Amino acid sequence: MGRNSKFVHIGIMFLVFLGFYIFSPVSVNASPTNAPMAVVMDFYTGEILFSVDGARRWIPASLTKSMAAFIVYEEIAAGNLTHDTPIHVSAGAARFSSDRRQPGSFVPIPSGAYLTVETLLQLMMIPSANAASVVMGEHISGSEAAFVERMNETAAAMGMYTSFVNSHGAGVHHSDTYSMAILMREFILQFPDILRITAMQSMRFNGDVLTNTNHHISRTPVDGLDGFKTGSLRQAGWNHSVTAERDGRRIIVVVMGTPDNPSRHRESLRLLEFGFRELERIEAERIERVRIFFGGSLISLESPPVIRRGQLMLPMRSVFEQLDYSVQWHEHHRLILLTCADGRNSTIFMDRNLAVVNGRTQPFQSHIVDDRIYISKQFIELVTGTAAEWNEATGVVQFRNQAVDVLGG
């Protein structure tokens, strides 16, 4: 075989392999994304629904600002700041904001100006203004370097595998998609107000309209999507973190290292839709396995349980009537009276999301499906004075007297 014939043969074999790869069902279904690094997380449980190189060290770029904003909210929660607190812009921060050699969004901030915490948070999270993080860092910690030290300490406490070198991400430092997902989840759990800001399509600053770099917010809104942050750098590629809530489910997605802006938005959306489908499938399987035992006796349910926001919800009337409680609905006062055979009673005020359980007022959450009221197993524990454990692998929910060691039996 001549040299040219050999290369022709290799070329034909390559094309055959390529055709098999493209059209093979296995390859098509192998991954829901083309992103080189990605994580999909169930917000309410923290369960990882999908990951590709989720622990690979990578440059987060402006995803870094999520940690800076988190610390700002910590200061608000501690009473050291309010959203209206005026923050002084140092000459150094102003020069940094006007330096076109710096990567990232160009948003000049005048030296000596006083900007509110709210404005600076919006600048950080909407147009991704680097200097806004510097201004907040200098105010909170005295210098950006000290602020970055606090960022790293906070990241370590969260269990993130991260090393920041600045407060904004316009430079090389490292994290991974899993760590960024942890940060997002913790941020929303502790300070859900951040979603008010990340859901904004744009903001006005110094006479300009600055649009959200997250195009799922500013250009083509996606059902239930309310943030979170973009990041790009020549060495990092194009990164994206997003979250959305639908029907009591919230999904977190982080992608890193995609080749361009359209790719990061396309891949994050693909994974978001995958996450909702996957979580719905997982929850359906868990519900199928559920069996309720109370004091060792199996309780039959008139309708299947549901899972909402990570909690198992059970049909109220079906459960309590089998536990010798009368369940009475009082239309005029919009309340439900639960009365046990031994005289104990609890009152649920449906319109106020409150319940009085054995004389103590408690918050009450319910979910209504087909006119049936579903309640959490935690509420059943309160009313009945039991402790419950749900073995998701077997599906068994066991309610036991609190005097019994639940773990030991």
Side-chain angles (χ1 to χ4, degrees):
M1 179 183 295
R3 182 180 180 185
N4 290 341
S5 298
K6 180 179 180 180
F7 283 124
V8 169
H9 178 72
I10 292 172
I12 291 172
M13 293 299 294
F14 173 77
L15 290 173
V16 170
F17 172 79
L18 182 63
F20 175 79
Y21 178 81
I22 292 174
F23 296 109
S24 167
V26 174
S27 67
V28 170
N29 296 326
S31 173
T33 184
N34 293 317
M37 290 155 282
V39 159
V40 181
M41 177 186 283
D42 174 6
F43 166 76
Y44 287 107
T45 65
E47 180 180 0
I48 300 299
L49 304 177
F50 172 81
S51 173
V52 54
D53 265 354
R56 180 180 171 187
R57 300 283 279 166
W58 198 251
I59 303 165
S62 284
L63 299 188
T64 301
K65 294 185 180 74
S66 298
M67 176 57 80
F70 178 85
I71 292 176
V72 174
Y73 270 88
E74 282 191 324
E75 290 294 294
I76 294 172
N80 299 326
L81 296 172
T82 72
H83 284 268
D84 296 324
T85 301
I87 307 296
H88 179 258
V89 178
S90 70
R95 283 194 301 272
F96 178 70
S97 75
S98 299
D99 187 351
R100 287 189 176 273
R101 295 171 299 176
Q102 297 294 332
S105 302
F106 183 69
V107 183
I109 301 175
S111 176
Y114 282 86
L115 303 179
T116 65
V117 169
E118 174 70 15
T119 296
L120 289 164
L121 280 168
Q122 290 185 23
L123 284 170
M124 291 162 64
M125 302 302 286
I126 298 174
S128 197
N130 293 330
S133 295
V134 176
V135 172
M136 284 304 322
E138 290 178 342
H139 178 84
I140 290 172
S141 300
S143 69
E144 187 190 11
F147 186 69
V148 171
E149 187 174 333
R150 176 168 170 179
M151 289 171 63
N152 284 319
E153 291 171 354
T154 305
M158 286 186 188
M160 296 171 61
Y161 185 38
T162 299
S163 55
F164 298 118
V165 299
N166 61 50
S167 63
H168 43 76
V172 176
H173 54 221
H174 295 90
S175 186
D176 54 65
T177 55
Y178 182 59
S179 293
M180 287 292 120
I182 290 174
L183 170 57
M184 284 176 63
R185 181 171 187 259
E186 197 65 29
F187 204 153
I188 300 169
L189 281 171
Q190 291 195 41
F191 311 116
D193 180 71
I194 187 59
L195 297 176
R196 173 185 58 82
I197 293 176
T198 59
M200 295 173 64
Q201 292 185 336
S202 63
M203 66 173 293
R204 295 191 66 87
F205 181 71
N206 280 352
D208 295 323
V209 176
L210 307 175
T211 59
N212 198 323
T213 55
N214 183 351
H215 293 174
H216 294 325
I217 296 291
S218 58
R219 295 188 183 180
T220 53
V222 173
D223 179 29
L225 195 147
D226 45 15
F228 205 72
K229 189 71 189 73
T230 61
S232 62
L233 201 63
R234 179 179 57 82
Q235 302 95 321
W238 298 75
N239 305 332
H240 203 189
S241 59
V242 295
T243 184
E245 184 163 25
R246 301 173 190 168
D247 299 322
R249 302 181 182 99
R250 179 175 285 279
I251 297 295
I252 285 173
V253 171
V254 181
V255 298
M256 284 186 174
T258 62
D260 50 45
N261 197 13
S263 294
R264 70 173 168 189
H265 283 87
R266 180 176 62 251
E267 296 307 318
S268 62
L269 181 56
R270 287 177 63 187
L271 285 173
L272 192 69
E273 300 299 341
F274 166 83
F276 280 115
R277 292 194 304 271
E278 182 68 4
L279 186 54
E280 183 177 13
R281 181 191 66 79
I282 290 171
E283 289 181 355
E285 289 182 353
R286 287 174 177 164
I287 288 170
E288 182 68 25
R289 293 194 295 266
V290 167
R291 300 292 183 272
I292 312 297
F293 288 86
F294 202 98
S297 299
L298 179 65
I299 292 179
S300 60
L301 301 177
E302 61 182 359
S303 55
V306 298
I307 297 175
R308 186 167 178 82
R309 297 183 174 176
Q311 288 194 76
L312 183 68
M313 309 285 284
L314 305 174
M316 182 179 67
R317 181 176 293 274
S318 178
V319 170
F320 278 117
E321 286 185 345
Q322 292 182 74
L323 300 179
D324 292 329
Y325 281 77
S326 69
V327 181
Q328 298 176 307
W329 168 249
H330 296 264
E331 176 65 33
H332 180 71
H333 297 288
R334 302 284 299 169
L335 62 82
I336 297 170
L337 184 62
L338 303 174
T339 306
C340 186
D342 64 8
R344 289 176 297 152
N345 63 74
S346 300
T347 306
I348 300 169
F349 299 92
M350 291 297 295
D351 293 344
R352 296 164 56 191
N353 294 323
L354 291 174
V356 179
V357 180
N358 300 321
R360 297 183 62 183
T361 301
Q362 306 280 345
F364 173 77
Q365 298 295 326
S366 64
H367 182 54
I368 298 177
V369 179
D370 297 330
D371 294 329
R372 290 190 178 93
I373 299 173
Y374 284 75
I375 55 173
S376 68
K377 66 179 182 65
Q378 289 86 347
F379 183 72
I380 297 172
E381 290 177 291
L382 280 175
V383 172
T384 59
T386 58
E389 62 175 350
W390 175 25
N391 187 321
E392 295 182 22
T394 64
V396 171
V397 181
Q398 187 76 259
F399 288 89
R400 310 185 190 204
N401 189 291
Q402 287 186 336
V404 177
D405 180 0
V406 173
L407 296 180

